[in-house]
Amino acid sequence: MKPSPRQLVDGLLAGDRAALARAITLAESSLPRHQALAEEVLELCLPHSGGAVRLGITGVPGVGKSTFVDALGVHLVRERAETVAVLAVDPSSPVHGGSILGDKTRMPRLASDPRAFIRPSPSGGSLGGVARATRQAVLLCEAAGYRNILVETVGVGQSEVAVADMTDCFLLLMLPGAGDELQGVKRGIMEVVDLVIINKADGDNADRAARARRDHENALHLFPPAPHGWTPVVGVCSAQENRGVREAWEIVLRHRAHMQAGGWLERRRAAQSRRWLYELIEGQLRETFLRSAAVRERMPAMEGLVEAGSLSPLRAARELLDAWEPGASREN
Ligand code: GDP
């Protein structure tokens, strides 16, 4: 028998990992029936969520994200007696091949710890769908008692922006010595970064990492100061040798204290929730619109006319929107 949302939430609140995993699976499903259940579960969890440190982590493949998350997670659970949930946003992962990010085998030490919960990225969806599920997963993990949530992402498309928009602090991992372009660092990203860590600062790379740190510090100071007054901090670490990981976490906590003191953390989360609301409305509207009988009937002809250049997209969009009867589409 399938548990009811209430039973699922009771299990989840009591720390039952299977219940948590099940609730996340519902959030990831695209079936309307599952989404309705997920909505109910989330509603019940809401009073118990919000308490975690939410850290987003990005960087090109090979920079050391999983090694870093493993080391940081182990530091948190073993030295700080904390609990950690690791989530991932990877819209590039194939539908059936499973996702690479958040894969437990990439975080062997952390995965074996009972105080850690690791969940791979929902696979095979648009960024919007993956982000929507992961946002819910953050709240579900908090309700399940995880006090730190690490959300990992590869820097494809807009996934960094999506993860920055669901976390309190956003960390960019970089390699020493390679140019920003080579590392896929897009212009916009520096605007959402709170913390840059140069990884692999070991062996021959140690000097290069120190230089990269100075360069990035100088570059970041050229940005106009943010309203909250936090200038991104640059650090170095060797995730592999477990050096600089504790210090990186200390910067995360410093950032948090800074944001909390000015009421900025609360404001950041409030703005994130508001944006999420609008995103959901836009997504839902688009879906109901495209599914409605009146639109489906006219769409192929309209597309043809627009492609042929005999009708402007402006006129076509208006006519389709005029033909749409939102009330009627619900029965479809
Ligand atoms: P990801 O793709 O960003 O998750 O990167 P991984 O964590 O899988 O690491 C990619 C490779 O870099 C692996 O071979 C790691 O062993 C190695 N690596 C990760 N962190 C460090 C580090 O701090 N120093 C060195 N020298 N190698 C590292």
Side-chain angles (χ1 to χ4, degrees):
M1 244 205 18
K2 296 245 167 70
S4 70
R6 182 73 257 177
Q7 286 168 321
L8 215 47
V9 172
D10 285 344
L12 184 156
L13 293 175
D16 175 1
R17 299 159 73 97
L20 172 61
R22 217 157 172 173
I24 297 178
T25 303
L26 283 178
E28 288 171 355
S29 169
S30 54
L31 293 179
R33 181 164 50 88
H34 290 166
Q35 285 185 4
L37 289 173
E39 188 183 310
E40 219 172 306
V41 167
L42 196 66
E43 214 51 40
L44 292 167
C45 283
L46 215 52
H48 307 276
S49 63
V53 177
R54 305 171 183 168
L55 174 67
I57 298 169
T58 190
V60 288
V63 71
K65 287 181 299 300
S66 51
T67 313
F68 180 82
V69 168
D70 197 40
L72 176 60
V74 167
H75 167 67
L76 288 172
V77 297
R78 296 210 188 139
E79 285 166 49
R80 292 185 184 254
E82 291 279 350
T83 47
V84 183
V86 179
L87 306 172
V89 169
D90 182 8
S92 65
S93 62
V95 183
H96 298 296
S99 66
I100 300 171
L101 284 186
D103 187 338
K104 287 181 195 183
T105 59
R106 293 168 68 238
M107 298 157 196
R109 291 191 302 153
L110 190 59
S112 62
D113 197 297
R115 288 161 295 187
F117 176 84
I118 301 178
R119 177 86 182 187
S121 175
S123 56
S126 63
L127 172 60
V130 172
R132 191 194 62 198
T134 309
R135 276 203 173 99
Q136 293 178 60
V138 169
L139 299 172
L140 297 171
C141 288
E142 286 179 343
Y146 291 93
R147 291 167 44 89
N148 303 278
I149 320 269
L150 312 181
V151 188
E152 188 193 359
T153 188
V154 281
V156 290
Q158 290 293 304
S159 69
E160 290 134 337
V161 177
V163 171
D165 206 35
M166 64 178 85
T167 48
D168 305 328
C169 181
F170 194 58
L171 185 162
L172 170 65
L173 273 183
M174 293 195 74
L175 296 166
D180 287 2
E181 302 79 34
L182 275 180
Q183 301 197 44
V185 176
K186 287 164 245 148
R187 285 189 168 269
I189 188 171
M190 286 302 172
E191 279 154 35
V192 295
V193 157
D194 301 298
L195 169 56
V196 177
I197 299 287
I198 323 264
N199 188 34
K200 306 199 184 183
D202 44 47
D204 294 347
N205 272 330
D207 286 347
R208 237 176 294 168
R211 241 189 343 265
R213 177 194 195 156
R214 281 194 302 276
D215 290 348
H216 280 98
E217 256 164 6
N218 292 336
L220 284 164
H221 272 103
L222 297 177
F223 279 81
H228 48 66
W230 173 266
T231 307
V233 173
V234 187
V236 295
C237 85
S238 168
Q240 189 164 267
E241 295 180 4
N242 210 4
R243 280 186 293 105
V245 175
R246 162 201 300 273
E247 288 77 5
W249 185 252
E250 276 161 11
I251 304 173
V252 172
L253 295 182
R254 228 163 68 214
H255 171 259
R256 188 167 196 81
H258 175 94
M259 297 295 274
Q260 272 173 332
W264 292 103
L265 182 62
E266 216 173 300
R267 254 170 271 168
R268 179 164 172 163
R269 286 190 173 185
Q272 289 174 345
S273 296
R274 198 173 50 236
R275 280 192 292 271
W276 187 15
L277 165 69
Y278 277 89
E279 260 174 57
L280 287 169
I281 292 173
E282 281 163 27
Q284 200 73 56
L285 276 177
R286 188 189 148 90
E287 220 166 275
T288 0
F289 171 76
L290 292 175
R291 262 207 242 121
S292 90
V295 172
R296 273 203 319 227
E297 209 172 275
R298 290 169 176 77
M299 192 56 105
M302 287 295 189
E303 276 182 1
L305 292 170
V306 165
E307 280 169 13
S310 47
L311 187 68
S312 79
L314 265 77
R315 169 74 52 90
R318 193 174 51 71
E319 287 188 10
L320 284 164
L321 283 162
D322 284 348
W324 179 36
E325 296 165 61
S329 64
R330 209 161 294 161
E331 286 97 59
N332 290 309

